[in-house]
Every structure is written in structure tokens, then in C-alpha cells.
Amino acid sequence: MKILVTGGLGFIGSHTCVELAKEDNEVIIVDNLYNSKEEVLEKIEKISGKKFKLYKYDLKDKEKIKKVFEEEKNIEAVIHFAGYKAVGESVKKPLMYYSNNIITTTNLLEIMHEYNVKKFVFSSSATVYGEQETPKYVETMKRGETTSPYGTTKAMIEKILEDLYFSDNSWNISILRYFNPVGAHESGLIGEEPNGIPNNLMPYIMKVASGKLETLSIFGNDYPTPDGTGVRDYIHVVDLAKGHVQALKKMKQGLKVYNLGSGKGVSVLELVTTFEKVNNIKLNYKIAQRRPGDLPEYFADSQKALKELDWKTEKTIEDICRDAWNYEKNNA
Ligand code: UFG
């Protein structure tokens, strides 16, 4: 299959390109390098032993994106990762998030419509559930109140895709709701590289472990969870990448929504102690105030992806901690 991947040099995109190439798909990447590096291209080529075509274009530039569809001719499907993703930044710069994430997506969908490419996989997030009555989130639940403009862009795009499908049911759309993607490729060549001081837990742990930051703050130990710290569903990025391959393989006509998570909640303290044990490193941490907007606990109901996509996570929290640290050491 010839597949266009937007944001293919980013954290999740790069791992997905590797898994797609492994299955002999032809992968075309569009990435404007806003939040990624061109050298990732050589790395994914090295890991997979395959070549990727890169267009350094911005999805806001409709004419250029049309050129890609024109030149490539027989693109069959699009996986859309590209977008701004920093929760905190989106609170400060909502217009930047709404204008970029929404316009780039509608541009892409319009061009796909024009070229009659109607298979679309969208990177959504568990954040669209907002707060629910139970911590186990299932796809039949209604989307909830999002807690950041970033999250709202994900919910809005889901809605746009529903309206699009309603208007033309020849589309095949899979919305993938990621829980907490972490870890790195076991080769140590590709992984997560946030700009500046990380906001997310795993990247922050990396910086403390490598001595670049002094102390990890655990945001709250008085939540109604077994050890009082926040509980999330951490998913190894390679498992997540494989979920995209399955979503394309099993794609049928219609609009489908899938949770991609392990189905298991892990607390901040559990992640910290597992990291220490697996890598034999002592992490400097302290208990701090709760972070505004954080929920105590949520994790995926992962049954639908298992049943319909024949997909489940295979890697453990230990694998996550080992691979993330391996990448950090190789790239420090
Ligand atoms: N945490 C800490 N210390 C830190 C960072 C995080 O204790 O320095 C805790 C948080 O309080 C939370 C857990 O670690 O309990 C996970 O936090 P992350 O920031 O790593 O991840 P979130 O669950 O907050 O973020 C995820 C996705 C976002 C999404 C968001 C919406 O990464 O893309 O959920 O809730 F938008």
C-alpha cells in the first residue's frame, strides 16, 4: 500500500513509519520539521532498511500538498499525525492551536476528497473523554469536557470527521485515541525529544536521570488512588505504532473509534520505582502540589481494538523504562 504519513518524523510518526515499512508498505512523509528533525529520516531508514520519500511541506500550504498527491498519483491512505501537541502552550496560545490543527486537517481532507483518497487514520487522544464517572474509558462513552485547547482541537477534528462521514459514507475513517505514549525504539535511534523543559512525566524522568534536571516533582500524593499518585495508561510507542498498521489492515468502510492503550493503570510512583529498578538508577524526586487540570486516574478499555483490530500491547512497563533510558543515553 502507498501511504502518506503527515508528521512522519515526529515521535509517534517515526515509529509508525518503521512499522509500516516493515510490512512492505511504501511510505511518503510530509513534515514541516516544526517539532522534528530531518536526521530522523536517516535513522528510520537505517532501522527499517527501506527508503522513505520526504516532502518538507507545511499542511497549511494547500498548493504544495496538492503537488504531493499529483506527483505520487496512487496514494491509497493517509495517517495524520501532524499537529501542535503541547497542552500548556495551547492554554497560552489557543488561536495558534485552533488555527493550525484545524486548518491543516481540513486542508488535507479537502485535498484527499479532490484526489479521491478516502482512507484516513487520525491521531486522537484519550483527552477527548474528559472526566468520566469511571476511570476505565470505553469508546461508547460520550466525549467529555476537554481541559485544554489542544484537547479541544482533537475533539473538534473527531466531530469534523463524523460530519464528513455522514455527508459521504464512502470514506473509511479510523480515529485512534492514544493513552500515554512513552518509551522509544529498542535500537536507541529514535525516541521522544521534547523542546525545552519537559511537561510530561517520562521525558522529565529522563532529564532527572541524566542529571540535566535536579528533581522530579510528583504532582500530588493525595489522589483517591492506591498510592495517592496519579494513574495513567502508559503505552510503548512501538506498540502504538503497530496499532496504526493494524488499523489500516483491518480498515472497513465506516467511521470507527479505537482506544489504543494497555488497559492497565500505572501510578506515577510505580513508574518511578520501576524505572529505578530496571535501570539501576536512583531518581531524585519530591512530592509537590497537584497540577491544575490533572485527573486522578484513567486508563483504556482496550477490548474493541483487540476484537476488531487484533491488536494489543505486548511491551511491559519494564520495556518502556529500559527503552526510554537507552534512547536518552544514546542521544544525551
Ligand atoms: N506528572 C508528575 N510530574 C511531572 C509530570 C507529570 O507527577 O513532572 C504526573 C501527572 O500529574 C500525571 C502523570 O504524571 O498524573 C502523567 O502526566 P503526563 O504529563 O505525562 O501526561 P498526562 O496524562 O497529563 O497527558 C496526557 C497526554 C496529553 C493529553 C493529556 C490530557 O500526554 O497529550 O493526557 O489529559 F492531552
Side-chain angles (χ1 to χ4, degrees):
M1 215 188 208
K2 189 165 182 173
I3 302 159
L4 180 78
V5 178
T6 76
L9 297 184
F11 174 43
I12 305 170
S14 58
H15 289 81
T16 302
C17 287
V18 168
E19 296 307 316
L20 289 168
K22 265 199 199 162
E23 304 250 333
D24 282 333
N25 294 292
E26 187 184 343
V27 180
I28 315 294
I29 298 171
V30 172
D31 198 308
N32 67 356
L33 304 179
Y34 176 80
N35 209 1
S36 60
K37 293 194 181 129
E38 197 166 351
E39 66 204 42
V40 169
L41 184 66
E42 289 154 43
K43 293 178 176 175
I44 59 178
E45 289 183 340
K46 188 167 172 198
I47 296 171
S48 64
K50 303 272 168 63
K51 287 276 169 206
F52 299 88
K53 195 149 167 196
L54 169 65
Y55 290 89
K56 283 182 269 175
Y57 293 167
D58 192 311
L59 292 172
K60 275 196 169 160
D61 192 338
K62 237 178 146 177
E63 290 315 309
K64 285 210 174 117
I65 305 304
K66 271 190 194 177
K67 246 176 59 189
V68 177
F69 280 76
E70 204 63 62
E71 270 176 39
E72 296 299 334
K73 302 236 168 1
N74 48 351
I75 291 170
E76 280 178 69
V78 175
I79 306 184
H80 181 39
F81 292 105
Y84 294 161
K85 60 169 188 178
V87 175
E89 181 184 52
S90 80
V91 176
K92 293 194 187 101
K93 300 177 181 170
L95 293 179
M96 174 175 144
Y97 272 68
Y98 288 119
S99 105
N100 184 70
N101 289 5
I102 307 293
I103 291 170
T104 53
T105 306
T106 53
N107 278 351
L108 183 61
L109 292 166
E110 278 172 343
I111 297 167
M112 286 178 69
H113 176 79
E114 198 177 319
Y115 286 83
N116 202 30
V117 179
K118 291 192 170 171
K119 290 189 172 145
F120 190 71
V121 177
F122 177 60
S123 283
S124 191
S125 164
T127 194
V128 302
Y129 287 106
E131 192 167 8
Q132 301 279 342
E133 275 177 13
T134 55
K136 188 176 187 170
Y137 289 0
V138 56
E139 294 89 340
T140 48
M141 287 170 167
K142 280 213 169 79
R143 279 188 295 266
E145 193 65 44
T146 45
T147 49
S148 72
Y150 156 78
T152 311
T153 67
K154 294 293 178 193
M156 286 168 82
I157 293 167
E158 288 198 359
K159 183 70 188 140
I160 290 170
L161 291 170
E162 287 164 11
D163 291 344
L164 176 64
Y165 179 70
F166 184 78
S167 76
D168 173 2
N169 59 21
S170 65
W171 279 86
N172 305 240
I173 298 171
S174 292
I175 292 173
L176 305 180
R177 293 179 177 161
Y178 312 152
F179 282 69
N180 287 51
V182 285
H185 196 267
E186 61 179 10
S187 63
L189 289 173
I190 52 172
E192 188 170 16
E193 256 180 77
N195 292 328
I197 297 175
N199 290 306
N200 296 112
L201 179 59
M202 202 62 185
Y204 206 102
I205 290 178
M206 293 309 118
K207 298 297 166 224
V208 174
S210 61
K212 292 194 188 106
L213 291 171
E214 210 157 302
T215 311
L216 168 74
S217 293
I218 294 185
F219 298 142
N221 68 346
D222 56 353
Y223 282 114
T225 59
D227 65 22
T229 66
V231 168
R232 294 288 182 276
D233 186 338
Y234 297 95
I235 169 171
H236 194 295
V237 64
V238 172
D239 277 333
L240 186 59
K242 289 179 178 166
H244 293 73
V245 175
Q246 286 308 104
L248 269 184
K249 265 195 194 162
K250 304 275 177 180
M251 191 171 244
K252 291 193 203 97
Q253 200 175 346
L255 180 142
K256 303 276 184 183
V257 180
Y258 298 102
N259 285 342
L260 295 185
S262 71
K264 192 172 162 278
V266 169
S267 76
V268 177
L269 258 182
E270 275 179 278
L271 191 68
V272 166
T273 50
T274 307
F275 182 87
E276 291 186 320
K277 208 167 89 201
V278 169
N279 297 310
N280 200 19
I281 290 178
K282 194 92 204 77
L283 272 181
N284 213 357
Y285 68 83
K286 63 171 191 220
I287 305 297
Q289 292 283 309
R290 290 182 179 191
R291 182 172 65 177
D294 273 350
L295 294 172
E297 174 179 21
Y298 62 88
F299 51 90
D301 181 318
S302 50
Q303 287 309 303
K304 189 176 175 192
L306 176 63
K307 233 164 100 189
E308 295 185 21
L309 302 180
D310 191 22
W311 173 90
K312 64 174 169 36
T313 57
E314 280 157 7
K315 296 192 183 272
T316 61
I317 289 293
E318 283 79 8
D319 296 329
I320 286 171
C321 291
R322 197 190 47 240
D323 292 343
W325 181 232
N326 182 39
Y327 176 75
E328 180 68 25
K329 277 188 302 186
N330 275 343
N331 295 278

